[in-house]
Structure formats: C-alpha cells, structure tokens
Amino acid sequence: SEISCCREPVLFNFEEAGLGWIIAPTGFYTSECAGSCHAHNGVRTSSGMTIEHSCRPNNRKPLSVLYITKSLNIRLGLLPGIVVMDCSC
C-alpha cells in the first residue's frame, strides 16, 4: 500500500549546496513532503480535467544563521520558511 502524505527527514548541508558563506550552522535537519494524497478527491475543472492534490509543506519556520558578507563581516540573519514543520494534501 502507498504511504500517505508525511514528512521525510532530510539533513541539509550548506557547503555541499554551494552556500559556504553560511558559517553556522553548517547544516540543519528539515523535511521533504512525500506520499500519497489519494484519500483526498481531486478537483475537476470546467474542461473536465482532474487536478490531483499533492503532498506539500503546510507549515514552515525560519532558521537563524551566521554568514559572511562580501566585505568579510559576520552577520546574523534569518532564512525565512526553510524548515518544514508539517505536510498536508
């Protein structure tokens, strides 16, 4: 049977993603949304097409990071909506 829509944990590494200018944290746990939304009926358009629901982030939160600017200053910043908290169809 298919797995219903849920969060799958993912370790994101800034340097591996080409974002080495972020110095802390070096990585963080977030999630990908995966699974089936078959329990939810699709939406039928006026042309008769059915648009299926997809498993997607429902709630996200920001992540605080320390980063180096182009002028080599260290700053504290916030990456908005990067940590997936839950998923829904």
Side-chain angles (χ1 to χ4, degrees):
S1 82
E2 291 186 51
I3 297 172
S4 62
C5 181
C6 62
R7 290 185 314 151
E8 296 287 333
V10 175
L11 176 59
F12 185 92
N13 182 295
F14 287 113
E15 188 155 344
E16 287 177 8
L19 302 172
W21 48 271
I22 295 177
I23 55 176
T26 56
F28 68 99
Y29 279 97
T30 187
S31 298
E32 290 180 340
C33 295
S36 169
C37 289
H38 291 303
H40 301 272
N41 293 329
V43 176
R44 188 169 291 277
T45 66
S46 60
S47 64
M49 292 179 53
T50 301
I51 300 171
E52 298 295 326
H53 292 280
S54 62
C55 183
R56 63 187 180 281
N58 184 45
N59 186 21
R60 298 173 183 242
K61 73 175 191 177
L63 179 71
S64 294
V65 295
L66 283 178
Y67 65 95
I68 299 175
T69 66
K70 290 180 181 178
S71 57
L72 302 179
N73 294 312
I74 296 176
R75 298 276 188 245
L76 177 63
L78 201 61
L79 298 177
I82 196 167
V83 181
V84 174
M85 299 304 293
D86 59 66
C87 301
S88 67
C89 292

